[in-house]
Amino acid sequence: MSDSNKTNFTNPSIFILLGIPGLEVAHVWISIPFCTMYAIALLGNFTILFIVKTEPSLHAPMYYFLCMLAITDLVLSTSTVPKMLSNFWFNSREIDFSACFTQMYFIHCFFVMESGIFVAMAFDRYVAICNPLRHSTILTNPVVAKIGLALVLRGIMVVLPYPFLVRQRPYCRTNVIPHSYCEYIAVVKLACGDTRIGSFYCLFVVLCVRGLDMIFISVSYTQILRAIFSLPTKDARLKALGTCSSHLCAILSFYIPALFSSLTHRFGHNVPLHVHVLIANVYLLVPPMLNPIIYGVRTKQIQDRLLQLFTHKGI
């Protein structure tokens, strides 16, 4: 065995990101849809932020939460895609040891924040439909600000152990990460010694954070649907459903790829590695791209403001 394979990586200065293992020859072609999705995510989310900021009629809890979602999507996609594209286009595979852990922290921290934002948006819809007369008194601006701060602190604190759990382990096998970014499980698998604590904590976060968020959203929408179907007229029911449809689409686009990725990691031992990596990329790229499209298409106020902007420019 060569000396290079016996190298001790107890304190590696860099990691090597392989990109999508097994599909290296197709990296340039894969980069085209990835770059397109990233460009759409940037344009769409910045447009949402601009519209909400410049339109006083959109200064309401639902749109404040939408702005939080847009910022989270921008950070999520920007923390991974530029490095990924530099790998695909310029074969720039090296990432600094500390930069890798920073990227890992940002990805998982803002993923937890985004999950919490969907819970807050579900609560907003619950109050708006089930208790509309008290909506403005329950979800005041200070309350929305406190909810936003709580979501940020939750994301920071829940994910804070991640870099410490992976940093304290020696890396005596290799410094090559078979992934396109510093994904937590992919890095943990490189560490020597007992990594069960790190794996168990990851499972705890998935079950007790993402799982609880999904339960809260399900409970909220159960109550919402009960209230909607108790409305006296069909028009009222359709109008109420319309206010929730964009949120439901965004939730599905966020949780389904993430859940599928988690299940393939835990149980899909026969699934090819490149499929794991592609799924992991999908759940970081697709929601930031789809969310502004979904809310732009399904929300009349945002549509109207966009039309005003284009009409004004045309004139």
Side-chain angles (χ1 to χ4, degrees):
M1 188 179 287
S2 66
D3 292 338
S4 62
N5 289 334
K6 295 179 181 178
T7 304
N8 193 318
F9 291 104
T10 302
N11 292 299
S13 59
I14 60 168
F15 284 114
I16 307 296
L17 293 168
L18 288 185
I20 303 176
L23 297 178
E24 287 87 353
V25 294
H27 273 177
V28 173
W29 296 107
I30 294 170
S31 71
I32 295 172
F34 281 19
C35 183
T36 303
M37 286 189 281
Y38 181 53
I40 294 171
L42 289 179
L43 178 63
N45 285 295
F46 275 120
T47 301
I48 292 288
L49 291 172
F50 175 77
I51 288 174
V52 174
K53 184 180 183 299
T54 56
E55 180 54 52
S57 66
L58 299 181
H59 294 177
M62 174 182 171
Y63 300 102
Y64 292 146
F65 290 132
L66 184 55
C67 286
M68 295 179 200
L69 185 66
I71 293 169
T72 305
D73 282 337
L74 286 169
V75 176
L76 263 178
S77 54
T78 303
S79 62
T80 55
V81 179
K83 177 59 183 173
M84 196 187 307
L85 293 178
S86 72
N87 185 341
F88 292 168
W89 290 342
F90 310 113
N91 204 31
S92 175
R93 298 184 173 188
E94 295 183 356
I95 184 169
D96 183 75
F97 188 72
S98 298
C100 183
F101 292 146
T102 302
Q103 185 191 56
M104 177 201 306
Y105 182 78
F106 269 80
I107 291 168
H108 293 283
C109 177
F110 279 86
F111 192 86
V112 170
M113 286 184 202
E114 182 153 342
S115 182
I117 291 167
F118 280 121
V119 176
M121 295 174 86
F123 177 68
D124 170 68
R125 291 298 86 206
Y126 166 75
V127 176
I129 290 174
C130 298
N131 207 342
L133 297 179
R134 296 187 59 198
H135 183 262
S136 59
T137 57
I138 293 174
L139 284 170
T140 59
N141 287 346
V143 169
V144 172
K146 288 175 184 176
I147 291 172
L149 180 60
L151 295 176
V152 170
L153 291 175
R154 185 184 79 146
I156 291 171
M157 297 307 295
V158 166
V159 184
L160 194 59
Y162 274 23
F164 293 103
L165 287 170
V166 294
R167 199 180 187 100
Q168 68 182 359
R169 298 293 175 189
Y171 290 85
C172 53
R173 294 171 183 160
T174 180
N175 65 340
V176 177
I177 301 174
H179 214 292
S180 55
Y181 59 86
C182 291
E183 200 267 341
Y184 178 71
I185 293 297
V187 176
V188 166
K189 287 179 178 178
L190 302 183
C192 298
D194 189 359
T195 60
R196 285 179 298 178
I197 294 175
S199 298
F200 285 147
Y201 187 73
C202 180
L203 185 61
F204 164 79
V205 171
V206 170
L207 294 177
C208 295
V209 175
R210 198 184 303 169
L212 284 176
D213 287 351
M214 292 174 70
I215 290 171
F216 288 141
I217 291 170
S218 300
V219 170
S220 295
Y221 269 92
T222 300
Q223 297 300 316
I224 288 169
L225 290 174
R226 286 179 60 186
I228 287 174
F229 288 115
S230 66
L231 292 173
T233 64
K234 182 180 179 181
D235 288 342
R237 290 194 291 271
L238 290 174
K239 185 178 179 180
L241 282 171
T243 63
C244 301
S245 59
S246 55
H247 185 223
L248 282 171
C249 291
I251 288 172
L252 292 174
S253 73
F254 177 75
Y255 282 109
I256 289 176
L259 185 63
F260 192 65
S261 178
S262 297
L263 290 174
T264 53
H265 264 300
R266 295 290 167 188
F267 308 109
H269 303 297
N270 297 323
V271 177
L273 182 58
H274 67 270
V275 175
H276 281 290
V277 177
L278 283 171
I279 294 171
N281 284 312
V282 164
Y283 85 74
L284 285 184
L285 278 168
V286 171
M289 176 193 70
L290 285 183
N291 287 339
I293 295 173
I294 290 169
Y295 284 101
V297 170
R298 299 294 304 174
T299 308
K300 188 176 185 300
Q301 293 89 331
I302 294 176
Q303 285 181 13
D304 292 344
R305 180 59 179 158
L306 274 173
L307 286 173
Q308 287 177 13
L309 285 173
F310 286 120
T311 304
H312 180 72
K313 286 183 179 181
I315 293 172

